[in-house]
Amino acid sequence: MTLFNYWHFIVLAIIFIMFVYGVISSFKQTRPKMVISMLISVVLVTALFSVFSIVVVDKYTKIVKLYKLKNKRLLNIEKIIYTGIVKNEGEHTIGEVVFEIKIVNKGHATGNVKGGSFYKPSGFFDFFTGGYNLDFKPQSITKEFVVAKNLKPGAAQSFRVYFDYPPYFRSVSHFSKVTGH
C-alpha cells in the first residue's frame, strides 16, 4: 500500500466535496429516474477522479532516482545479479521503491536476428494442441523487485537482486527504471 502525504488528502477532500455537492444536486431533481442516473454518474466520475488523482500526485511527489547500477553474471549458477542505490529525491516518504529490469537479447534489439531465432515449427499435431510449443524461447525478460520500503526524504538505500539468466542469450541490452509507490 502506498503512503499518502498531505497532497493526497487535499485532492481527496476536494473530490469528496464534489461528491457531496453532486449527491445533493441529484436529490433536488423532481423526476426519480433522473435522481438514479445522476447518482450513478456522480459515483462513477468521482471514483475515476480519485484514482487518477492518486496516480498523478504519486508521480509528482514521490521522486526516486537510481545510482551506481551494476550487473554481474554468475556463470556457475546461471544467474545475473544487479546492485545499485536508490535515493528518494522528493520531499515525502515513499512506501515502496520498485526496481524494474528488462533484458533483451541484443540480436532481437538491433534487428540482427538469424532466421532460426524466431522460427516456430508448426504441423498437424500443433493444429490440434493449440500450437503449444515447449521449445519457444522468449527474447526479452522483464522482472520487478521491491528494493526499499518506507524510504524517507533524502535517504538512500543499496540493493541487490538476482534472477535466472537465460543460457541462450548471447549479448544483451539492459533497460532499467525505478518507481515509487
Side-chain angles (χ1 to χ4, degrees):
M1 177 161 178
T2 64
L3 292 174
F4 281 5
N5 54 44
Y6 59 87
W7 288 108
H8 288 95
F9 293 120
I10 290 171
V11 170
L12 291 176
I14 292 170
I15 292 173
F16 181 72
I17 291 169
M18 289 174 28
F19 173 75
V20 169
Y21 180 74
V23 169
I24 291 171
S25 299
S26 65
F27 281 123
K28 287 184 179 180
Q29 296 297 322
T30 56
R31 292 183 286 175
K33 288 185 180 181
M34 234 8 212
V35 172
I36 293 171
S37 64
M38 282 185 68
L39 280 175
I40 291 172
S41 298
V42 166
V43 168
L44 290 176
V45 167
T46 55
L48 180 69
F49 277 166
S50 298
V51 171
F52 182 71
S53 68
I54 288 174
V55 171
V56 169
V57 170
D58 273 352
K59 180 179 179 182
Y60 289 107
T61 61
K62 298 182 178 181
I63 304 164
V64 63
K65 300 280 183 172
L66 179 63
Y67 296 102
K68 298 184 181 180
L69 181 66
K70 296 178 184 174
N71 64 348
K72 183 177 182 182
R73 185 173 170 195
L74 302 174
L75 295 173
N76 56 349
I77 59 173
E78 292 186 3
K79 295 205 182 277
I80 189 164
I81 296 177
Y82 286 91
T83 58
I85 298 172
V86 289
K87 183 177 180 186
N88 184 352
E89 299 279 335
E91 299 176 4
H92 304 284
T93 303
I94 298 175
E96 288 183 338
V97 177
V98 177
F99 171 66
E100 178 182 307
I101 186 72
K102 180 178 182 179
I103 57 173
V104 179
N105 203 2
K106 216 169 211 174
H108 176 64
T110 60
N112 298 330
V113 179
K114 304 227 183 321
S117 297
F118 291 103
Y119 174 71
K120 185 177 176 184
S122 63
F124 183 75
F125 183 70
D126 289 337
F127 178 75
F128 291 106
T129 61
Y132 186 72
N133 188 1
L134 294 175
D135 294 334
F136 177 69
K137 298 177 182 178
Q139 297 298 313
S140 68
I141 295 173
T142 303
K143 299 282 186 178
E144 287 186 356
F145 303 95
V146 175
V147 294
K149 289 188 177 185
N150 297 325
L151 196 61
K152 303 287 183 206
Q157 185 171 344
S158 61
F159 68 90
R160 176 183 297 169
V161 296
Y162 61 94
F163 57 93
D164 293 336
Y165 188 84
Y168 57 89
F169 275 26
R170 295 294 169 232
S171 174
V172 297
S173 296
H174 305 268
F175 304 99
S176 61
K177 72 176 183 177
V178 288
T179 54
H181 298 285

